[in-house]
């Protein structure tokens, strides 16, 4: 690996500052002494390291840099092909393949870490950074497992770092406006909420490929696998289709749930569901022979969760999640040629006095009938984020520069963690649907199908179907730990 000629730019800046101040007879007080653990002087740029810098990671670190207040100083990716654009954009950033090596060697030069790897490695990478006192930005979903989400939520508070999940719609005005409509009583008490998506847009409900492929020279397959069980490399998995495999991804719920379910969670102040039930799409491989592909997420699902009463509801709330193109019935108040949600995705609130809806990222919020929207005015109650979704990145940068507890962010782990847990509880029901028991005479049964699973949020376990609890926390591959 070539020595990066700019890798010590931070040290050079410090040297120049010290030399200038020394000439005035003024002594230096280190910033950590001034502000405590995690403090970053507001006059400095936030020194950011990116883990996973292709695809969404590429746009994330560019957005941090575009804030004008962040220096992208270190890049890490297991796939040189995916990292190419970011390396070209930030030629002064030092490049690593193993995030552990990067944190070990460069930790004293890093203020914050952005994590945009596949879902199954989010938690170990984010936790490693937090334990070093680094602020973290983690792509959605926050984690792969329920247990991991709870650990990161607690870790953010324990290590006093500024956190943000990459569900940028949480910074949009739409969620705030819909909260104001609801708080003003415009649609009455909420009875049910529907969230839906046309995802997956990658293969699901399929068997694992039987024939291994040659690992590309640019890819470190072992590092890519990380916490996941070892399997031979297969084509088509990297860089995107891993989302449909349970070992690595979290399906449509993980991909889009953080954008869509975030809206009712914020509007109604929902926490953890108390029960969950589901139905999933079937794939038939022969006459009356249903395929059994437990490694893969199903092609579609409908999950119903019950949330207990909150300070913003009068009773329990039923929240429906639909994916694979399944949608709820169009509201009668919606005109026949008006788009429902944003077409492929949406959120619908059903209240005792009316309804409201929006699209992905809470965009285009509408009261129903939509003619109500323009003529309805309510007082602005919730502070807006400059730049909305695009400002999600600068918001985190500025909060990290200010230090822990100094500035609010839209999706801190205290909010993003429970939201992610909720989505993963829905996935737990979907995975429980495929739990199979072998019986005598070659017969099989599926005890997790067509039941309602009762959830104990405090203990993070299903109380009436023990087999489902295997999906709360994975066993990592040897050599990896949280």
């Amino acid at each position: 690996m070539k020595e990066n000629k700019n890798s010590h730019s931070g040290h050079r800046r410090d040297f120049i500052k010290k030399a200038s101040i020394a000439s005035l007879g003024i002594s230096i007080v280190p910033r950590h002494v001034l502000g405590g653990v995690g403090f970053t002087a507001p006059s400095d740029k936030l020194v950011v390291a990116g883990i996973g810098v292709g695809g969404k990671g590429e746009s994330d670190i560019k957005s941090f840099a575009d804030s004008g207040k962040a220096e992208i100083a270190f890049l890490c990716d297991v796939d040189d092909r995916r990292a190419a654009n970011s390396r070209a954009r930030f030629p002064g950033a030092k490049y690593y393949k193993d995030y552990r090596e990067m944190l070990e060697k460069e930790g004293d030069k890093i203020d914050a870490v952005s994590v945009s790897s596949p879902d199954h490695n989010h938690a170990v990478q984010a936790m490693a950074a937090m334990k070093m006192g680094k602020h973290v930005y983690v792509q959605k979903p926050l984690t792969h497992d329920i247990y991991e989400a709870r650990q990161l939520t607690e870790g953010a508070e324990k290590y006093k770092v500024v956190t943000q999940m990459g569900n940028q719609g949480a910074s949009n005005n739409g969620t705030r406006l819909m909260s104001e409509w609801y708080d003003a009583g415009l649609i009455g008490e909420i009875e049910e909420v529907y969230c839906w998506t046309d995802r997956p847009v990658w293969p699901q409900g399929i068997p694992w490929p039987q024939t291994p492929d040659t690992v590309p020279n640019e890819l470190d397959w072992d590092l890519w696998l990380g916490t996941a069980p070892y399997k031979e490399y297969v084509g088509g998995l990297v860089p995107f289709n891993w989302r449909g495999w349970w070992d690595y991804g979290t399906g449509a719920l993980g991909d889009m749930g953080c954008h869509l379910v975030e809206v009712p969670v914020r509007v109604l102040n929902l926490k953890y569901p108390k029960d969950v039930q589901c139905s999933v799409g079937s794939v038939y491989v022969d006459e009356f022979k249903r395929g059994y592909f437990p490694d893969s997420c199903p092609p579609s699902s409908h999950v119903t969760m019950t949330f207990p009463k909150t300070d913003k509801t009068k009773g329990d709330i039923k929240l429906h999640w639909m994916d694979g193109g399944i949608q709820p019935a169009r509201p009668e108040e919606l005109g026949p040629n008006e788009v429902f949600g944003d077409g492929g995705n949406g959120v619908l609130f059903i209240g005792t006095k009316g309804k409201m809806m929006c699209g992905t990222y809470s965009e285009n919020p509408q009261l129903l009938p939509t003619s109500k929207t323009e003529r309805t005015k309510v007082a602005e109650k919730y502070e807006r984020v400059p730049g909305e979704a695009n400002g999600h990145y600068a918001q985190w940068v500025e909060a990290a520069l200010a230090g822990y507890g100094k500035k609010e962010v839209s999706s801190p782990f205290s909010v993003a963690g429970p939201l992610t847990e909720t989505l993963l509880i829905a996935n737990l029901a979907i995975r429980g649907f495929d739990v199979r028991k072998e019986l005598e005479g070659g017969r099989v049964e599926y005890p997790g199908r067509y039941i309602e699973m009762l959830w104990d949020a405090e203990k993070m376990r299903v109380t009436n179907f023990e087999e489902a609890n295997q999906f709360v926390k994975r066993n990592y591959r040897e050599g990896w730990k949280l």
Side-chain angles (χ1 to χ4, degrees):
M1 183 179 295
K2 292 183 178 180
E3 175 74 14
N4 188 313
K5 64 182 180 181
N6 294 321
S7 63
H8 302 296
S9 58
H11 294 295
R12 288 200 296 271
R13 286 198 306 272
D14 289 344
F15 175 81
I16 293 170
K17 288 179 184 177
K18 290 176 182 178
S20 300
I21 295 173
S23 68
L24 298 174
I26 301 173
S27 61
I28 291 279
V29 180
R31 64 186 180 187
H32 70 270
V33 173
L34 288 169
V37 176
F39 177 79
T40 303
S43 59
D44 289 347
K45 281 192 174 184
L46 189 73
V47 180
V48 177
I51 301 175
V53 295
K56 188 58 185 170
E58 178 184 337
S59 63
D60 284 344
I61 59 174
K62 179 182 181 299
S63 295
F64 300 139
D66 287 347
S67 73
K69 298 181 180 181
E71 176 190 351
I72 309 303
F74 303 97
L75 303 173
C76 180
D77 204 295
V78 301
D79 191 339
D80 293 343
R81 300 166 301 178
R82 299 290 285 171
N85 289 343
S86 291
R87 294 181 73 180
R89 177 173 284 120
F90 303 105
K94 193 171 182 178
Y95 179 64
Y96 287 88
K97 277 203 169 185
D98 190 332
Y99 77 93
R100 296 167 299 183
E101 181 186 5
M102 179 183 72
L103 292 178
E104 181 182 355
K105 291 183 176 180
E106 313 292 353
D108 62 336
K109 308 178 192 74
I110 295 170
D111 296 323
V113 175
S114 172
V115 176
S116 189
S117 53
D119 301 351
H120 67 292
N121 287 327
H122 282 186
V124 292
Q125 293 166 347
M127 186 64 84
M130 289 198 297
K131 285 181 176 179
M132 298 177 69
K134 311 305 176 187
H135 308 299
V136 289
Y137 183 103
V138 181
Q139 256 310 319
K140 51 77 192 170
L142 186 61
T143 63
H144 183 280
D145 300 352
I146 295 167
Y147 172 81
E148 293 174 331
R150 185 71 61 90
Q151 289 296 300
L152 289 197
T153 302
E154 294 173 355
E157 183 175 359
K158 176 180 179 180
Y159 297 112
K160 308 299 182 188
V161 293
V162 177
T163 58
Q164 181 97 296
M165 184 168 71
N167 56 330
Q168 61 270 28
S171 289
N172 265 345
N173 291 347
T175 302
R176 291 156 178 78
L177 178 59
M178 296 179 83
S179 295
E180 290 158 356
W181 285 343
Y182 175 67
D183 292 353
L186 297 183
I187 65 169
E189 297 299 324
I190 299 296
E191 297 175 334
E192 286 188 289
V193 181
Y194 287 84
C195 302
W196 68 94
T197 182
D198 54 7
R199 303 292 174 105
V201 291
W202 52 83
Q204 288 191 182
I206 57 175
W208 181 260
Q210 295 300 304
T211 306
D213 288 301
T214 302
V215 180
N217 291 332
E218 301 90 344
L219 174 67
D220 189 316
W221 176 237
D222 187 70
L223 285 178
W224 189 95
L225 283 172
T227 63
Y230 184 81
K231 288 184 178 178
E232 295 295 327
Y233 174 82
V234 294
L237 185 69
V238 177
F240 188 68
N241 291 341
W242 53 265
R243 290 190 175 278
W245 299 101
W246 289 122
D247 276 346
Y248 322 113
T250 48
L253 264 160
D255 185 50
M256 293 300 292
C258 291
H259 295 310
L260 296 163
V261 179
E262 182 271 337
V263 183
V265 163
R266 183 185 294 271
V267 171
L268 302 174
N269 199 24
L270 303 178
K271 296 301 181 186
Y272 304 107
K274 63 181 182 179
D275 59 60
V276 57
Q277 56 184 296
C278 77
S279 58
V280 304
S282 303
V283 177
Y284 279 79
V285 296
D286 205 343
E287 295 180 11
F288 295 97
K289 185 178 180 182
R290 184 175 185 165
Y292 179 63
F293 309 124
D295 294 329
S296 176
C297 309
S300 60
S301 68
H302 177 189
V303 182
T304 304
M305 292 178 280
T306 306
F307 290 83
K309 179 183 181 303
T310 74
D311 59 347
K312 297 187 74 174
T313 71
K314 280 200 170 180
D316 291 352
I317 297 293
K318 290 285 187 185
L319 188 147
H320 299 265
W321 168 266
M322 299 173 166
D323 59 42
I326 301 173
Q327 296 189 0
R330 289 172 61 85
E332 294 179 357
E333 300 89 341
L334 192 63
N337 292 328
E338 291 185 294
V339 175
F340 189 20
D342 60 25
N345 311 275
V347 180
L348 173 67
F349 290 82
I350 300 176
T352 54
K353 293 169 55 179
K355 298 170 186 172
M356 62 183 182
M357 70 174 189
C358 65
T360 311
Y361 311 135
S362 77
E363 291 180 347
N364 194 28
Q366 297 280 342
L367 291 165
L368 300 181
T370 56
S371 57
K372 277 183 159 183
T373 305
E374 285 299 319
R375 66 174 186 261
T376 300
K377 304 296 179 186
V378 293
E380 187 172 301
K381 181 178 178 182
Y382 299 101
E383 186 177 354
R384 272 41 174 181
V385 177
E388 298 190 63
N390 289 333
H392 196 65
Y393 305 93
Q395 182 195 54
W396 174 71
V397 170
E398 291 172 4
L401 285 168
Y404 179 79
K406 302 294 178 58
K407 288 188 176 183
E408 290 188 0
V409 293
S410 298
S411 194
F413 289 2
S414 59
V415 174
L419 170 60
T420 300
E421 281 192 49
T422 291
L423 302 174
L424 297 177
I425 290 164
N427 266 346
L428 179 146
I430 292 173
R431 299 194 74 177
F433 195 88
D434 262 347
V435 169
R436 182 160 71 173
K437 284 190 173 181
E438 305 289 341
L439 305 177
E440 292 182 2
R443 295 179 301 115
V444 297
E445 69 175 10
Y446 300 89
R449 293 183 179 179
Y450 319 117
I451 68 172
E452 180 179 69
M453 298 185 192
L454 306 180
W455 180 249
D456 184 329
E458 183 179 353
K459 295 181 179 178
M460 292 185 291
R461 64 183 301 271
V462 175
T463 61
N464 64 323
F465 180 49
E466 183 59 37
E467 290 89 341
N469 291 315
Q470 65 184 290
F471 306 119
V472 171
K473 177 185 178 183
R474 289 175 295 151
N475 292 319
Y476 292 163
R477 191 159 57 109
E478 186 176 353
W480 299 86
K481 64 180 181 178
L482 189 60

